[in-house]
Amino acid sequence: MKNKIKIARVSMDLTQQQLADKVGVTRQTISLIEKGKYNPSLKLCLQICYTVNKTLDELFWLEREEWRNGKN
Amino acid sequence: MKNKIKIARVSMDLTQQQLADKVGVTRQTISLIEKGKYNPSLKLCLQICYTVNKTLDELFWLEREEWRNGKN
DNA sequence: ATATAATGTAATATATATGTTACATTTATG
DNA sequence: CATAAATGTAACATATATATTACATTATAT
């Protein structure tokens, strides 16, 4: 589950911990999502978007192709 | 968790069951998501997007405001 | 008006996201 | 180099998404 959270996060000058706190989740959860090892809930995706000022498409969109190539 | 799945689905002439099948999920899951009673996973959101030819933002985006007004 | 398909929804079971704790590794900073 | 901060990751616990089964209600068609 690839995504662009890390780029958005560091460009906001946030640490995983800080993002986690703002979003109300654990640092580990952020870490695993950034690493593409988690399949986050829509709710969490939205909260991350709000915190780093991005939209769902900007952070999480994947074309069918890249989708199928990933592990899922 | 409001969304625009139903509109997209019927405009594709799909029943909940058909969408569910295409997406590999249960009809009940689709029903509950449409009704805003579920917090679907990103993976499922993407699969729905692909099936109804919409993007994440088109189907699932919510501004912070509407967000806070919802139950969550 | 009656049958049939589509949808809402509840109860219980299962799978999986997330929390907690803990430690290892990497990256920054003195 | 040394120390601290940031990040990766594992084991187990808990919360919650989704499946399953089943039935009720609403829409559609005959």
Side-chain angles (χ1 to χ4, degrees), chain A residues 6 10 12-13 19-21 24 27 31-32 36-37 41-42 47 54 56 62-63:
Chain A
K6 182 166 187 177
V10 308
M12 291 284 291
D13 234 302
L19 176 55
D21 289 344
R27 177 181 67 79
S31 176
L32 290 168
K37 300 188 176 179
S41 68
L42 174 58
Q47 287 169 301
K54 297 285 179 187
L56 286 171
L62 282 174
E63 295 295 339

Side-chain angles (χ1 to χ4, degrees), chain B residues 5-16 19 34 52:
Chain B
I5 299 177
K6 182 166 187 178
I7 295 175
R9 174 175 61 79
V10 308
S11 80
M12 291 283 293
D13 234 302
L14 289 174
T15 177
Q16 286 186 348
L19 176 54
E34 282 188 2
V52 301

Side-chain angles (χ1 to χ4, degrees), chain B residues 25-26 28-29 38-41 44:
Chain B
V25 86
T26 297
Q28 283 77 347
T29 297
Y38 260 2
N39 175 24
S41 68
L44 178 47

Side-chain angles (χ1 to χ4, degrees), chain A residues 25-26 28-29 38-41 44:
Chain A
V25 86
T26 296
Q28 283 78 346
T29 297
Y38 259 2
N39 175 24
S41 68
L44 178 46

